[in-house]
Amino acid sequence: MCGIVGAVGVKSPRQYALDGLKMLEYRGYDSAGVGFLSDGIKIYKDVGSPAHLDEILPKDINTDVIISHTRLATHGVPSKDNSHPHLSMNKKISLVHNGLIDNFVELRNFLISKGYKFYSQTDTEIIANMLEYYYLQSKDMLKALEETKNQLDGSYACAIINEDYPDTLFMMRKTSPLLVGKGKGFNLIASDASPMVSYTNEFIELDDYEHGYITKTDIKVFDKDNKLVDKKVTIKDMETFSHDLKGYPHYMLKEIEEIDTVIKKLITAYYHDNKYQFDEDLLNDLKSSDHIIFLGCGTSYHASLVGGRLFENFNNISTTKYIASEWAFHPTFPGAKPFVILISQSGETADLIHCLDTIKKHNLNNLIITNTGGSTLDRNCRYSLLLHAGIEVSVASTKAYVAQVTLLALLAASLQNDASVIDDLKHCVTVVEDIQKNYKPMIQKVASELKDKTNIFYLGRSYDYFLSLEASLKLKEISYIHSEAIPGGELKHGPIALIEQDTPTIVFITDPETAASMRGNIEEVKTRGAKVYTIATKKLFRPEDTMMLEY
Ligand code: M6R
């Protein structure tokens, strides 16, 4: 992922461009850049975060049109040359891009045959040069956008400037998100609403294959067939996108500490007046389906593992859970009446959006569970349930994961009208509050013991294995320490070879059915010298364990 930001006519363009990138840093942070129109195109970019960009960018930018970008390297290593904005060979056009161009080799060869030279390893430079190639033929930027759109395979959200249009910012979009913020005397664009909410609450979502432009006073959008479209303006609530750290040192910690509130909010949203509050049509469609396919990526996939199991337990319905990028290449849908549940915090994950094409082609009934109202998946799925977790700024998903699992538990229970889950979830709030209140010093002590290790393993069975997968992802993502989740029963089938003297092994024991087997696993790894940290629920806790969950 990358984050893009752009503006025309905003009072402090430098501040908007840099502040906006800081809010989109969760989308990538290995390099950053700014481009603007001021007697031609000016570009400042480098490896490093938006904070570094602040140091190299002149303080007194005089421009009406600005674009900026924060990058997560995909095509080409993180380097100054590969950073965005990219400039076309004849320096007419510059752009920032979020997405991946699948046919970039073919297009690059085409442009080379037309005399174009390339200075980066990116797919984005191809878009800049394609636009310039067509622009120089017609001297009409909208025509150039139309022609270029026809050539590109893959995903793109682009903010584009052309030195011949000193008052205009062009844009185009397919699969990757792009939002326009409507101002008074200025207009904005960004990958999501967060950079724009302190400037406006009126937004326009660009759809696939749309392109257009913004000036200070005008917004024009053209559809797939290049016809002018009258786009709906939606109002977004500023509080939902608040980036106030509220005294916390970073967003991940703040978001972890919001988990108890998120569970309470979800209970209130989906259960009141002694009954579940889900759309009757959705419940009937789920009940009449004979198989549910869960799709998600990363953390959201881990939530789907839990959700799938809950649906089986409550409703005796068969389920399969897939990593979305795998299903996209080999879609299978067992049963005569399958129903697809997609899970995505952002509602913008390209791998899931690809799945949506297949889902629509086969007319499969579907639901998106997302934290982001107005996102591509929210707008394009048949049913949508919102997580109400508030914006998740941290790259590492925490509160959204808990919200996903909570909402899946509520939905599964509502299908059977089983209200006992509400008490269980309220109890979970108590557990979370107890951890927040009583366990911080212990968690810090364990973290300081682990921070210099090179391999850390997690062990669990059943739900505790699903939890291990998520815990392990979080650890590797945040600490860059190698970590693996191993199902307890699999240890003996190979992975135990990796356990050495002092290898940290974190074990979850929350399920009475698997507790005895997990105790056996602890003995196995201890024999190999592992340093074991056990997290267990009250009833299953033993004095030698590390942490007792109040459950
Ligand atoms: O927005 P999504 O839930 O669709 O994102 C999917 C994954 O990229 C995401 O869950 C990722 O694994 C987490 N940020 C990891 O903490």
Side-chain angles (χ1 to χ4, degrees):
M1 280 200 304
C2 298
I4 68 176
V5 171
V8 183
V10 78
K11 252 196 200 139
S12 311
R14 185 186 193 278
Q15 191 182 346
Y16 170 70
L18 291 179
D19 288 353
L21 290 189
K22 284 181 197 144
M23 291 178 185
L24 295 180
E25 253 187 306
Y26 74 93
R27 305 181 65 86
Y29 39 76
D30 56 39
S31 57
V34 165
F36 55 91
L37 290 171
S38 177
D39 289 332
I41 294 173
K42 305 286 181 299
I43 291 176
Y44 292 83
K45 57 184 187 174
D46 206 350
V47 176
S49 68
H52 173 56
L53 191 59
D54 196 3
E55 292 161 13
I56 60 169
L57 191 64
K59 301 286 173 220
D60 52 345
I61 290 178
N62 180 18
T63 185
D64 265 341
V65 186
I66 194 159
I67 54 178
S68 63
H69 188 267
T70 180
R71 176 171 189 246
L72 180 72
T74 50
H75 284 58
V77 296
S79 70
K80 188 170 174 181
D81 285 344
N82 288 336
S83 309
H84 300 215
H86 284 279
L87 192 59
S88 60
M89 189 178 77
N90 299 299
K91 302 188 172 33
K92 279 244 153 278
I93 287 170
S94 177
L95 62 85
V96 291
H97 166 221
N98 168 36
L100 283 174
I101 301 305
D102 298 336
N103 59 339
F104 89 105
V105 175
E106 197 180 318
L107 297 179
R108 191 181 162 107
N109 290 341
F110 167 77
L111 288 163
I112 288 171
S113 76
K114 300 291 175 194
Y116 271 85
K117 290 196 168 49
F118 289 87
Y119 302 95
S120 78
Q121 301 159 302
T122 66
D123 50 350
T124 304
E125 198 183 358
I126 281 129
I127 311 178
N129 283 327
M130 286 298 283
L131 283 166
E132 185 181 81
Y133 172 74
Y134 288 118
Y135 175 70
L136 291 177
Q137 289 175 11
S138 63
K139 287 289 166 98
D140 179 338
M141 192 57 188
L142 286 177
K143 282 246 155 357
L145 283 161
E146 290 168 18
E147 299 278 8
T148 303
K149 262 189 345 182
N150 287 340
Q151 303 297 325
L152 299 178
D153 282 344
S155 55
Y156 51 83
C158 296
I160 308 151
I161 52 180
N162 179 327
E163 69 164 1
D164 295 343
Y165 292 78
D167 308 319
T168 310
L169 193 161
F170 295 92
M171 57 201 176
M172 60 179 179
R173 186 246 154 147
K174 190 194 153 224
T175 309
S176 303
L178 192 58
L179 205 61
V180 178
K182 191 168 181 280
K184 292 196 173 47
F186 66 89
N187 285 305
L188 313 168
I189 65 170
S191 297
D192 72 31
S194 56
M196 304 186 273
V197 279
S198 47
Y199 293 78
T200 180
N201 65 351
E202 294 188 353
F203 295 95
I204 292 170
E205 322 261 357
L206 250 64
D207 286 305
D208 272 357
Y209 299 104
E210 287 185 340
H211 72 279
Y213 62 84
I214 58 172
T215 64
K216 274 184 193 178
T217 52
D218 205 8
I219 300 170
K220 288 276 185 293
V221 178
F222 302 86
D223 67 10
K224 193 173 183 176
D225 303 319
N226 307 315
K227 298 227 162 48
L228 188 65
V229 268
D230 192 10
K231 296 290 291 184
K232 190 175 134 214
V233 176
T234 52
I235 309 293
K236 286 192 196 283
D237 162 25
M238 211 170 145
E239 189 46 36
T240 316
F241 293 93
S242 166
H243 274 61
D244 187 353
L245 266 170
K246 298 194 172 135
Y248 286 96
H250 53 77
Y251 290 107
M252 186 175 174
L253 194 57
K254 172 177 176 273
E255 288 160 8
I256 288 173
E257 301 232 341
E258 287 168 357
I259 285 174
D260 51 342
T261 314
V262 169
I263 303 174
K264 284 189 246 175
K265 250 188 173 175
L266 273 171
I267 298 174
T268 314
Y270 292 105
Y271 186 85
H272 52 81
D273 301 326
N274 287 327
K275 60 177 182 10
Y276 286 102
Q277 303 290 334
F278 291 104
D279 178 342
E280 281 301 322
D281 288 342
L282 166 65
L283 295 181
N284 289 335
D285 283 0
L286 280 166
K287 280 179 193 160
S288 66
S289 72
D290 56 359
H291 186 85
I292 301 183
I293 301 161
F294 288 85
L295 301 177
C297 307
T299 293
S300 299
Y301 167 67
H302 296 155
S304 84
L305 295 174
V306 180
R309 182 67 62 82
L310 289 171
F311 271 73
E312 286 160 5
N313 284 356
F314 276 113
N315 308 297
N316 288 326
I317 195 160
S318 65
T319 69
T320 41
K321 307 103 192 162
Y322 288 97
I323 293 170
S325 53
E326 291 295 311
W327 193 80
F329 284 105
H330 185 63
T332 52
F333 18 95
K337 242 180 141 192
F339 191 108
V340 186
I341 298 185
L342 303 94
I343 305 176
S344 172
Q345 188 284 125
S346 61
E348 296 291 356
T349 297
D351 291 324
L352 277 165
I353 295 172
H354 286 155
C355 293
L356 202 54
D357 294 342
T358 308
I359 290 168
K360 293 212 160 149
K361 197 165 122 207
H362 293 275
N363 206 14
L364 304 176
N365 209 344
N366 59 80
L367 156 73
I368 174 70
I369 292 181
T370 181
N371 199 27
T372 319
S375 59
T376 303
L377 288 164
D378 176 54
R379 285 180 290 128
N380 289 291
C381 285
R382 166 108 193 258
Y383 297 105
S384 175
L385 292 175
L386 294 181
L387 293 167
H388 299 300
I391 186 167
E392 191 170 62
V393 181
S394 166
V395 181
S397 183
T398 53
K399 63 175 179 174
Y401 169 74
V402 176
Q404 288 165 345
V405 170
T406 306
L407 181 42
L408 285 163
L410 289 165
L411 183 60
S414 82
L415 289 170
Q416 294 234 319
N417 214 10
D418 180 345
S420 66
V421 164
I422 301 298
D423 286 337
D424 288 342
L425 288 172
K426 286 183 181 162
H427 200 145
C428 289
V429 174
T430 318
V431 177
V432 172
E433 286 169 348
D434 179 59
I435 295 171
Q436 287 168 357
K437 206 164 135 220
N438 298 318
Y439 276 102
K440 277 185 200 155
M442 190 277 279
I443 290 170
Q444 270 161 359
K445 181 176 164 284
V446 173
S448 64
E449 285 170 24
L450 298 182
K451 74 179 179 29
D452 297 320
K453 301 288 179 189
T454 46
N455 279 316
I456 298 177
F457 294 94
Y458 285 85
L459 291 182
R461 290 178 188 237
S462 185
Y463 286 113
D464 288 340
Y465 170 57
F466 306 151
L467 179 60
S468 300
L469 285 168
E470 177 55 13
S472 171
L473 172 63
K474 224 84 306 174
L475 185 94
K476 64 182 89 140
E477 190 180 21
I478 292 304
S479 65
Y480 302 118
I481 296 172
H482 170 258
S483 168
E484 229 181 279
I486 305 169
E490 276 293 291
L491 257 183
K492 60 182 173 297
H493 297 294
I496 195 151
L498 296 170
I499 309 282
E500 295 172 347
Q501 191 60 36
D502 289 333
T503 304
T505 307
I506 300 168
V507 183
F508 294 111
I509 306 187
T510 70
D511 182 353
E513 275 188 40
T514 62
S517 309
M518 287 312 302
R519 292 288 170 193
N521 289 138
I522 291 178
E523 288 316 308
E524 276 177 277
V525 293
K526 273 191 174 163
T527 310
R528 296 267 178 157
K531 170 100 174 80
V532 175
Y533 300 87
T534 304
I535 301 170
T537 43
K538 210 179 200 164
K539 281 188 193 137
L540 305 172
F541 186 79
R542 290 188 185 174
E544 68 270 25
D545 293 346
T546 315
M547 183 168 175
M548 183 176 79
L549 302 174
E550 273 298 321
Y551 202 92

